[in-house]
């Protein structure tokens, strides 16, 4: 057995890692998996960068930021596998949400209208609203900026973004320190169930197939341990298939609920797992079938174009300078080549390309695959924009807010 | 040298602060990571910030280090990344340190070394305390189970204990678990538990 330690944060999307260990997928491939529960992304990063663990559950933009050395020493990170797609929710306290469409279902189903309503609500509010985010380099923070930007809101100017650990968000809402937050599940659902906030925007309604957590490794470690990496990716793929199977949801929720994993009641974990989200405490749940994806549509495949979309957002919000060198380094964090190598013999449908237009699929579309049949789900951005990875600069010029054109 | 310790529980901070004072540092402040702690920290303008690696507010602190105008000088975790041994020891002990860039390594290293030793000492104290608490609770449970057996089956104390022990061994469980099960069962059966 090869011992392997992976750091994770207590979130619903740690599911693939937890089931790889608890359902024996790792052990079947000779990996003795230890999961190291960690409470901040800073500590996940340090444990990974300084070699206390071999791999980590990591925010995709953070993996790129660490590689580029943004607000820290640069350390080359590789992400050969995505742990999930989607799983986020923006919730706001009712004091702020009162100025939005009172019908929460219509509100979340119409992100264009809601973005404009949100802009108007800022004007009506007695001060700049404070929105909690879990990290500057989180997918949800980038998605929030993107959504607000559509309605002319510059997140750096018109709202205050406050970084807070998800476990403290509810308390901060209660004391009025924040007016809402965007975070990975189960924290949005918990705040709603406690009557502290209501849903304002759902991740999949902003970007239908939003990149979320990746499996991150140090690049040099990954290169020196090819066999272990391949077996790990095979184990995680099997685990992801198990997590996506509706008949396993109850068991998965019970597993995640344990104190050593997420440590929240199974009832709080089930909404995202089953795609049945409650948007306000006084309403019944609605179907959001793409609330969280683990395996279907080759969800684990790290499209380099997705790394480049994240890079484009880092440039747009002036977190990194646009240079060909940065662009290349960012794209190289997503290692579709390693994914292919590891899973070639598992019969997984394998995309024919490693880059694609992001946001161009409007209905389920069969795509070229080396083996098996692969159908990609709709991946539209709510504003209808299409990201062409070959022309990042052109894409950014089309945005009024952010970058150097605002 | 101004040192700020960010800590929620108090006990660990006390252990660390004592150590630093004994070593001759006297400008030490403890700040709990609550509410507007970031603004307090900015006003204090520390040279070194020490924090528990397990504290979920590390991301909040790091965000401040990125955007703060008051703390104009960049702050880095650990002074010298080449010192892998120290970094490893710090992570093992649960120490995270933020140091004003430009401070000389020989001024910072003793503080981090001391923090590592103190964090380790604190962890040992905590473990010993937990063990003692558990042992006490276990003994009370076992005593209660023994007295149930002594009353209901008319056994002597040594025999009651022997019965608990052999049951535990046969079922491959801990004595205290068997004792707990017995107390629960006796309660359900309306015994004198």
């Amino acid at each position: 057995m090869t011992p392997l330690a992976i750091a994770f944060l207590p979130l619903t999307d740690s599911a693939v890692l937890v089931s790889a260990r608890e359902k024996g997928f790792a052990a079947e491939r000779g990996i003795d998996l230890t999961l190291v529960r960690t409470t901040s992304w800073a500590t996940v990063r340090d444990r990974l960068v300084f070699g206390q663990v071999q791999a980590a559950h990591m925010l995709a933009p953070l993996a790129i930021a660490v590689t580029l050395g943004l607000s820290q020493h640069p350390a080359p990170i590789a992400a050969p596998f995505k742990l999930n797609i989607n799983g986020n929710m923006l919730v706001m306290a009712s004091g702020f949400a009162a100025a939005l469409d009172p019908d929460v279902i219509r509100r979340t189903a119409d992100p264009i209208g809601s973005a404009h309503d949100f802009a108007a609500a800022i004007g009506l509010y007695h001060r700049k609203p404070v929105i909690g985010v879990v990290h500057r380099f989180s997918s949800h923070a980038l998605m929030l900026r993107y959504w607000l930007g559509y309605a002319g809101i510059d997140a750096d100017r018109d709202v205050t973004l406050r970084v807070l650990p998800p476990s403290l968000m509810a308390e901060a809402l209660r004391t009025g320190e924040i007016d809402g937050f965007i975070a990975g599940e189960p924290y949005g659902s918990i705040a709603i169930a406690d009557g502290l906030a209501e849903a304002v925007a759902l991740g999949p309604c902003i970007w239908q197939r939003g990149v979320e957590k990746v499996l991150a490794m140090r690049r040099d470690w990954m290169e020196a341990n090819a066999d272990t990496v391949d077996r790990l990716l095979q184990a995680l793929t099997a685990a992801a298939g198990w997590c996506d199977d509706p008949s396993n949801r109850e068991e998965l929720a019970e597993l995640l609920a344990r104190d050593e994993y997420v440590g929240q009641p199974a009832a709080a974990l089930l909404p995202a797992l089953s795609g049945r989200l409650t948007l306000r405490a006084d309403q019944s749940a609605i179907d959001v079938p793409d609330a969280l994806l683990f395996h279907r549509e080759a969800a684990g495949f790290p499209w380099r174009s997705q790394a480049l979309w994240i890079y484009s957002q880092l440039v747009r919000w002036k977190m990194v300078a646009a240079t060909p060198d940065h662009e290349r380094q960012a794209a190289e964090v997503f290692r579709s080549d390693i994914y292919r190598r590891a899973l070639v013999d598992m019969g997984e449908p394998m995309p024919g390309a490693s880059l694609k237009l992001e946001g161009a699929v409007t209905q389920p579309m069969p795509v070229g695959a080396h083996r098996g049949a692969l159908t990609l789900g709709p991946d539209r951005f709510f504003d209808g924009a299409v990201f062409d990875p070959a022309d990042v600069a052109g894409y950014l010029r089309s945005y009024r807010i952010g970058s150097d054109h605002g | 040298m101004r040192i700020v310790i960010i800590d929620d529980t108090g006990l660990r901070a006390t252990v660390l602060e004592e150590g630093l004072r004994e070593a001759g540092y006297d400008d030490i402040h403890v700040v709990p990571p609550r509410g507007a702690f970031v603004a307090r920290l900015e006003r204090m303008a520390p040279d070194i910030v020490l924090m528990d690696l397990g504290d979920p507010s590390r991301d909040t602190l790091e965000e401040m280090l990125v955007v703060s105008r008051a703390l104009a000088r960049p702050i880095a975790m650990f002074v010298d990344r080449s010192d892998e041994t120290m970094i490893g020891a710090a992570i093992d002990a649960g120490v995270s340190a933020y140091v004003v860039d430009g401070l000389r390594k020989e001024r910072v290293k003793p503080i981090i070394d001391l923090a590592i030793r103190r964090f380790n000492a604190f962890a040992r104290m905590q473990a010993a305390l937990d063990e003692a608490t558990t042992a006490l609770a276990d003994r009370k449970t076992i005593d209660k189970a023994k007295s149930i057996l002594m009353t209901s089956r008319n056994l002597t104390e040594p025999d009651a204990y022997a019965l608990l022990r052999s049951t535990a061994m046969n079922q491959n469980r801990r004595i205290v678990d068997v004792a707990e099960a017995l107390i629960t069962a006796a309660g359900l059966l309306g015994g004198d538990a």
Side-chain angles (χ1 to χ4, degrees):
Chain A
M1 292 284 262
T2 314
L4 196 81
I6 303 186
F8 74 101
L9 244 71
L11 288 162
T12 310
D13 61 21
S14 62
V16 170
L17 297 172
V18 170
S19 55
R21 178 182 153 76
E22 294 295 332
K23 298 305 294 174
F25 298 109
E28 275 168 25
R29 285 159 186 84
I31 292 173
D32 179 13
L33 189 58
T34 305
L35 297 179
V36 182
R37 192 179 198 263
T38 308
T39 51
S40 71
W41 292 109
T43 299
V44 168
R45 176 202 64 211
D46 290 343
R47 286 194 196 284
L48 179 67
V49 168
F50 296 113
Q52 304 275 308
V53 294
Q54 286 77 45
H57 171 224
M58 190 175 270
L59 299 159
L62 181 59
I64 292 171
V66 173
T67 302
L68 294 175
L70 310 183
S71 358
Q72 59 231 321
H73 295 279
I77 300 295
F81 188 82
K82 301 213 305 288
L83 290 168
N84 62 300
I85 285 175
N86 296 341
N88 296 317
M89 208 188 315
L90 170 67
V91 300
M92 298 295 293
S94 50
F96 184 89
L100 307 173
D101 188 335
D103 181 337
V104 276
I105 296 176
R106 208 165 56 197
R107 179 200 291 170
T108 50
D110 175 17
I112 288 184
S114 295
H116 289 303
D117 286 352
F118 201 99
I122 292 175
L124 296 170
Y125 208 54
H126 51 97
R127 57 172 166 75
K128 243 198 224 191
V130 183
I131 307 176
V133 295
V134 302
H135 200 278
R136 148 180 300 255
F137 301 120
S138 70
S139 335
H140 5 90
L142 294 180
M143 228 167 283
L144 175 70
R145 286 168 172 275
Y146 184 91
W147 179 66
L148 293 175
Y150 179 82
I153 308 165
D154 181 341
D156 289 316
R157 182 192 63 199
D158 305 324
V159 297
T160 301
L161 297 184
R162 178 156 301 158
V163 172
L164 272 181
S167 54
L168 298 184
M169 295 278 189
E171 186 54 28
L173 269 177
R174 223 176 250 123
T175 59
E177 194 190 322
I178 56 173
D179 301 297
F181 66 85
I182 184 163
E185 282 285 276
Y187 296 99
S189 286
I190 289 175
I192 291 172
D194 289 351
L196 292 167
E198 49 190 82
V200 166
L202 306 178
C205 299
I206 297 175
W207 184 12
Q208 282 178 293
R209 291 293 178 272
V211 178
E212 205 27 70
K213 306 304 182 307
V214 294
L215 178 76
M217 304 168 174
R218 274 172 295 126
R219 195 197 297 152
D220 55 355
W221 182 87
M222 185 187 75
E223 280 161 5
N225 294 277
D227 173 58
T228 306
V229 169
D230 287 359
R231 282 185 284 133
L232 176 63
L233 261 53
Q234 289 158 13
L236 295 182
T237 299
W242 187 85
C243 290
D244 249 5
D245 183 343
S247 61
N248 297 325
R249 271 174 201 151
E250 303 278 336
E251 186 183 353
L252 176 57
E254 293 294 336
L255 275 179
L256 288 172
R258 290 194 205 160
D259 282 345
E260 67 263 39
Y261 298 125
V262 183
Q264 297 286 349
L269 296 155
L270 270 171
L273 294 177
S274 57
R276 296 273 307 159
L277 299 179
T278 300
L279 305 178
R280 192 163 60 204
D282 60 1
Q283 304 228 335
S284 47
I286 60 158
D287 276 320
V288 183
D290 46 9
L292 190 56
L293 282 74
F294 294 115
H295 182 250
R296 56 189 198 269
E297 304 171 13
F301 187 78
W303 293 89
R304 286 177 186 239
S305 41
Q306 295 172 336
L308 283 167
W309 183 81
I310 292 168
Y311 164 77
S312 77
Q313 299 306 298
L314 299 179
V315 170
R316 182 178 176 189
W317 304 113
K318 301 185 183 69
M319 293 165 174
V320 68
T323 69
D325 213 32
H326 285 156
E327 186 172 325
R328 183 186 47 76
Q329 285 179 41
E332 283 176 0
V333 171
F334 276 31
R335 296 298 296 268
S336 37
D337 55 328
I338 304 295
Y339 180 99
R340 289 178 195 286
R341 183 192 72 199
L343 302 176
V344 67
D345 294 329
M346 254 184 100
E348 283 294 301
M350 207 53 85
S354 299
L355 289 158
K356 63 181 170 77
L357 295 176
E358 296 293 337
V361 182
T362 53
Q363 51 197 347
M365 185 176 75
V367 294
H370 284 320
R371 63 179 62 227
L374 176 60
T375 299
L376 292 181
D379 72 339
R380 273 170 50 91
F381 292 96
F382 78 99
D383 60 358
V386 172
F387 173 71
D388 177 357
D391 185 19
V392 175
Y395 173 76
L396 284 174
R397 270 195 298 277
S398 65
Y399 288 97
R400 218 159 31 85
I401 304 286
S403 71
D404 289 314
H405 315 285
Chain B
M1 177 105 59
R2 174 164 291 182
I3 304 170
V4 170
I5 303 166
I6 299 182
D7 196 277
D8 215 5
T9 59
L11 189 53
R12 186 195 342 255
T14 309
V15 169
L16 180 55
E17 189 180 352
E18 268 173 15
L20 288 167
R21 289 201 189 281
E22 280 165 24
Y25 300 96
D26 53 9
D27 193 3
I28 304 166
H29 306 262
V30 178
V31 175
R34 285 279 172 266
F37 81 98
V38 160
R40 281 186 69 191
L41 202 63
E42 283 182 324
R43 283 197 295 278
M44 287 176 174
D47 297 294
I48 297 185
V49 178
L50 296 169
M51 189 174 191
D52 174 11
L53 205 67
D55 194 309
S57 294
R58 275 191 76 202
D59 290 329
T60 308
L61 175 68
E62 291 204 358
E63 176 66 12
M64 178 208 73
L65 302 181
V66 174
V67 300
S68 171
R69 276 184 286 270
L71 288 163
R73 290 167 297 179
I75 294 194
M77 185 197 178
F78 308 116
V79 201
D80 182 1
R81 269 171 60 98
S82 62
D83 195 343
E84 294 273 346
T85 330
M86 185 177 83
I87 292 171
I91 293 179
D92 281 341
V95 176
S96 69
Y98 297 89
V99 177
V100 174
D101 209 14
L103 268 189
R104 298 229 312 281
K105 186 185 171 187
E106 51 280 22
R107 295 190 65 201
V108 174
K109 193 169 183 312
I111 296 175
I112 296 181
D113 280 342
L114 194 143
I116 292 170
R117 284 199 304 278
R118 287 280 159 160
F119 267 57
N120 281 332
F122 175 77
R124 279 195 301 274
M125 265 170 52
Q126 193 79 357
L129 196 66
D130 288 348
E131 217 167 88
T133 315
T134 314
L136 192 67
D138 285 0
R139 210 179 63 216
K140 281 187 180 156
T141 307
I142 293 169
D143 283 347
K144 199 166 176 184
K146 273 194 303 194
S147 81
I148 293 171
L149 285 177
M150 286 158 66
T151 317
S152 64
R153 298 193 45 180
N154 206 14
L155 294 175
T156 63
E157 188 174 345
D159 285 347
Y161 185 74
L163 181 59
L164 281 174
R165 197 181 52 191
S166 61
T167 309
M169 282 168 68
N170 289 339
Q171 301 184 355
N172 201 18
R173 294 161 75 190
R174 297 187 312 146
I175 292 186
V176 64
D177 294 335
V178 173
E180 250 163 30
L182 179 71
I183 294 166
T184 310
L188 286 173
L189 294 170
D192 55 358

